[in-house]
Amino acid sequence: VVRESGGGRPRVRAVDGEDKEARRQAILDAAERLFAERHELANVADVAEAAGLAKGTVYLYFQTKEEMYLALHLRHEEVFFTALIERLQGEAPFRFEDIHALARRHMIDDPTHMALGACCIGFAPNAVPAEAAANFQSRLVGWLLTAGAGLERHLPRLAPGEGVRLLKHSYALMIGLHSLRHE
């Protein structure tokens, strides 16, 4: 950690990977708190203030507010898919009640997950830098393929590829219903 001096209070600059990741997560935590309060995307200045950082520091981690919120949505998806994949890798039978409980805990009952997903789906095509969009897409596809294969293993009536299709359609339905409920 390096101390920066300037006209105001001394600031601590993250210099190693661990410090940078902690700073990045603090920014996402602040963005999530503001989203939960306002039910809309906060601007970068407000997120910086909530995180106790300079606005320019936030821009070192995220080029746009949409990129920041897509990263937050990715964090939510990672929590859900980690729990789902872990459950699917077990030998215990997997039933509808299992996926329902996971979706309820990680998506439906979470105060920001579905609303954030609906916002991210509505981003303008170039609102997120290409590298960030590709990272989101790549990680999501990996989780979908792993979880889809797990569903097909537990639910033999599903043909190859149908596990992924089921997950994608289920999510689209949940986002659509959430959006209708909150119009």
Side-chain angles (χ1 to χ4, degrees), residues 50-51 79 135 138 167 178:
V79 170
N135 177 56
S138 173
L167 288 166
H178 172 83

Side-chain angles (χ1 to χ4, degrees), residues 99 151 155 158 161-171:
I99 198 161
L151 284 174
L155 306 171
L158 292 176
E162 288 295 307
V164 170
R165 187 168 180 239
L166 177 64
L167 288 166
K168 287 169 51 177
H169 286 212
S170 298
Y171 186 70

Side-chain angles (χ1 to χ4, degrees), residues 63 126 128-135:
Q63 293 177 31
N126 294 324
V128 176
E131 185 178 334
N135 177 56

Side-chain angles (χ1 to χ4, degrees), residues 41-64:
L41 305 182
N43 63 46
V44 172
D46 289 346
V47 173
E49 183 179 329
L53 300 169
K55 183 174 153 182
T57 301
V58 174
Y59 281 116
L60 293 173
Y61 293 86
F62 303 101
Q63 293 177 31
T64 65

